[in-house]
Amino acid sequence: MTTTHLTHITEPSGVAAGTGYTQVVTGSGRLVQISGQVAFDEQRNLVGAGDPGAQARQVFENLRRCLAAAGADFSDVVKFTFFMTDIAYLSDIRDARNEFLGDLPLPAASAMQVAALFRPEVLIEIEALAIVQER
C-alpha cells in the first residue's frame, strides 16, 4: 500500500541522502503523537529480556496497536524517534521496522544512544508521529 496524503522527499537539494530513512515527509490531516513504546506486553511484562531483536518486534507491535487505536496505521507515520541503550541495536530496530512497514516509504527518523532508559532491562524505546488523512 502506498500513501497518497504524504509526500516523501528522500534527497532534498544540497542535503546528503538519508540511509534507512526519508529526509523530509509532509502531509495534511489529523496529527497523532504516539508516546515512546517499550517491549511490554498487555500485562506489563517485558518481552525479550536481553534480546534487542525481540524487544524491537514487540515495540513495533505496540506501535501498531497504538496507531490502530487512533485510526491510523504505519502508512500514516511521518517520523520515528529511536532511543536505544546501545547504538548496535539500530540494525535490530531497522529489521523490525522493515518487517512491520513492508514496502511502505520510510518515514523521517532520528536515532540516538542513551545512557539508560527507565528500567535497566529495557533496551529500546520508540516514539512515532503520524498524520492521518480524514477518511
Side-chain angles (χ1 to χ4, degrees), residues 79-84 108-112:
K79 172 93 181 342
F80 287 124
T81 304
F82 305 138
F83 303 94
M84 65 212 83
S110 295
M112 61 203 78

Side-chain angles (χ1 to χ4, degrees), residues 82 84-93 111-114:
F82 305 138
M84 65 212 83
T85 57
D86 187 329
I87 200 67
Y89 303 155
L90 184 57
S91 62
D92 294 297
I93 291 170
M112 61 203 78
Q113 178 174 314
V114 296

